[in-house]
């Protein structure tokens, strides 16, 4: 169990071990969901990759490294956004 103290500004600071456990790095976001029992569920926000990240990754033109799941999600997101037109 980890305890945190609420600051006067209404903020909490997550310790490094918790952030590493979530896989969250500086500048990334977390998602907090209220549960019916009054508890909170905390997860790393899904990283949404766009089709240009996908193409750049496949061509070796970016430093973006995508997992199989991220590749699949980028393709699905592209179809959802652009349909069969594809990216421009």
């Amino acid at each position: 169990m980890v305890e945190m103290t609420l600051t006067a500004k209404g903020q909490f600071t997550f310790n490094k071990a918790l952030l590493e456990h979530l896989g969250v790095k500086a500048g990334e976001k977390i998602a907090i969901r209220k549960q019916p029992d009054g508890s909170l569920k905390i997860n790393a926000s899904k990283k949404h990759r766009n089709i240009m990240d996908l193409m750049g990754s496949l061509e070796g033109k970016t430093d973006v490294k995508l997992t199989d799941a991220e590749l699949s999600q980028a393709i699905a997101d592209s179809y959802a956004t652009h349909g069969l037109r594809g990216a421009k």
Side-chain angles (χ1 to χ4, degrees):
M1 181 170 101
V2 175
E3 290 184 343
M4 296 183 286
T5 303
L6 183 66
T7 69
K9 293 183 178 182
Q11 300 172 338
F12 288 105
T13 301
F14 284 76
N15 71 30
K16 184 177 180 180
L18 285 176
L19 296 173
E20 287 175 353
H21 177 76
L22 291 171
V24 178
K25 297 181 177 100
E28 295 180 340
K29 296 182 180 188
I30 60 171
I32 301 174
R33 291 175 184 81
K34 295 187 277 184
Q35 301 299 301
D37 66 358
S39 65
L40 300 173
K41 184 172 183 177
I42 301 172
N43 296 94
S45 290
K46 290 184 178 180
K47 297 175 186 175
H48 293 286
R49 302 288 190 176
N50 65 38
I51 194 66
M52 297 313 291
D53 286 341
L54 169 65
M55 291 172 22
S57 176
L58 294 175
E59 294 174 356
K61 294 182 179 179
T62 71
D63 60 356
V64 174
K65 303 293 184 221
L66 302 175
T67 65
D68 289 344
E70 289 172 324
L71 287 169
S72 295
Q73 188 63 51
I75 292 166
D77 290 347
S78 179
Y79 276 116
T81 303
H82 302 287
L84 295 177
R85 292 181 293 125
K88 293 185 179 185

